[in-house]
Amino acid sequence: MEKKKVKDYMTYDVVTIDAHGTVKDVIDTIKKTHHDGFPVVEKNSNRVVGYVSARDILFAHPSTPVEQVMSRHLIVADPEMSVNDAARVIFRSGIQKLPVVNEKNELIGIISNADVIRSQIEHVSPEKVFKFMETLKKLYGIEPTLRRGSVPIDELLPTQSKIYEDELEGRIYEIKKGLAEPLIVVRRPGRWILVDGHHRAIAAKKLGIKNLDAYIIEIRENIELGMERTARALNLKSLDDIKVLDYARHPLVALTHRQVGHG
């Protein structure tokens, strides 16, 4: 995860407010973009001097200069900063977006909490791999071995029946940037079984990529695993059998909407 940097996930095309503008300019920009906050910059130098949000202008007259309502207490990110560090700042400070600046304080991008979450989804850790291997040992009394290698996408047996559109877009972005995490795959005689990384596998397929990097757990014994029986019960034979669901149907989003509704 530490190799993922802010510059890989930030948005480069940033909407800004002129430091010499007025609250009316902020209102117009909110209406036009549907964003709720913007870096304030000196237009001639692109240097960041503040940040203005919808909350800052609540009781201000439209003719009020932006400089009077903007926040000058700026928290910014460096493009070389790890996404993990940016995540800590965003979630501990409660700030939704961090302007990304160079050493001259010139604006080069913005990273939001959504960008950070996208970078973290489906994070594979070696602990996850070793825990899974321990489970296999206990369940089947076998001694699996581990290697890192390339696996053929089209030969993978999926063990998950659905994925989500928003996460798929995130994985496509990561693969294009060369940032994708390895899959976790079980290799047994005659079978490649996809344990973890269904979004990444589908993303690779959509991009026309034939092979992906993976943690390959090798099993010499020709035994059918429980997850293979699950795949059969779900009628899964290849990646084409996985349903891609719209983001709005994601259980996390449904939960958030419910909480908002009761607020």
Side-chain angles (χ1 to χ4, degrees):
M1 190 63 219
E2 287 300 328
K3 70 181 177 181
K4 296 183 178 182
K5 296 188 187 302
V6 163
K7 65 182 180 184
D8 298 316
Y9 285 91
M10 71 183 191
T11 300
Y12 285 84
D13 185 20
V14 188
V15 180
T16 60
I17 297 292
D18 187 338
H20 304 291
T22 63
V23 164
K24 183 182 183 304
D25 297 326
V26 181
I27 294 167
D28 291 344
T29 310
I30 288 171
K31 283 179 182 171
K32 192 165 76 183
T33 64
H34 302 293
H35 295 175
D36 61 356
F38 313 92
V40 180
V41 299
E42 290 281 359
K43 284 293 183 188
N44 57 344
S45 65
N46 208 35
R47 204 168 55 82
V48 182
V49 293
Y51 192 88
V52 65
S53 68
R55 192 172 47 198
D56 297 325
I57 63 168
L58 273 179
F59 304 107
H61 190 274
S63 63
T64 307
V66 167
E67 287 184 307
Q68 284 184 24
V69 294
M70 72 183 188
S71 169
R72 292 173 188 274
H73 177 61
L74 261 190
I75 299 179
V76 295
D78 182 277
E80 295 297 326
M81 191 179 189
S82 82
V83 174
N84 269 356
D85 289 341
R88 288 186 191 102
V89 172
I90 284 172
F91 295 123
R92 285 177 188 169
S93 67
I95 294 166
Q96 301 288 308
K97 296 170 185 167
L98 293 180
V100 183
V101 300
N102 62 17
E103 64 281 356
K104 294 178 185 167
N105 219 38
E106 294 164 339
L107 185 71
I108 54 175
I110 200 159
I111 188 160
S112 69
N113 54 0
D115 296 324
V116 165
I117 289 166
R118 181 160 56 84
S119 77
Q120 302 271 359
I121 290 171
E122 274 204 319
H123 175 46
V124 173
S125 66
E127 292 77 34
K128 200 173 187 178
V129 179
F130 291 121
K131 273 183 189 165
F132 182 70
M133 288 176 72
E134 280 301 316
T135 304
L136 289 177
K137 282 182 192 179
K138 286 175 185 164
L139 282 177
Y140 303 102
I142 56 176
E143 285 293 330
T145 56
L146 180 65
R147 68 182 173 90
R148 185 87 174 256
S150 185
V151 297
I153 296 300
D154 285 338
E155 292 179 42
L156 293 174
L157 174 72
T159 56
Q160 184 177 314
S161 61
K162 56 181 182 277
I163 61 171
Y164 294 96
E165 183 71 48
D166 65 314
E167 291 178 30
L168 179 59
E169 285 168 13
R171 301 298 77 75
I172 287 171
Y173 176 88
E174 284 185 354
I175 288 172
K176 282 181 176 174
K177 286 266 190 178
L179 294 162
E181 300 283 349
L183 307 175
I184 302 179
V185 172
V186 168
R187 172 66 166 161
R188 73 159 182 80
R191 268 278 158 86
W192 293 97
I193 304 158
L194 180 58
V195 177
D196 186 274
H198 288 72
H199 287 87
R200 294 189 293 280
I202 296 281
K205 195 171 170 64
K206 281 189 175 291
L207 291 170
I209 294 167
K210 297 294 182 193
N211 296 279
L212 267 189
D213 181 34
Y215 292 110
I216 303 168
I217 298 165
E218 298 263 14
I219 297 176
R220 291 184 302 277
E221 295 81 1
N222 193 9
I223 52 173
E224 185 180 51
L225 304 180
M227 56 178 54
E228 291 177 76
R229 289 193 287 277
T230 302
R232 196 162 60 241
L234 293 169
N235 211 20
L236 300 173
K237 296 184 182 71
S238 76
L239 294 179
D240 293 331
D241 298 319
I242 296 176
K243 289 187 180 69
V244 180
L245 298 183
D246 178 23
Y247 174 62
R249 291 165 66 187
H250 196 300
L252 285 176
V253 174
L255 178 67
T256 308
H257 285 176
R258 267 205 305 282
Q259 288 170 339
V260 169
H262 288 134

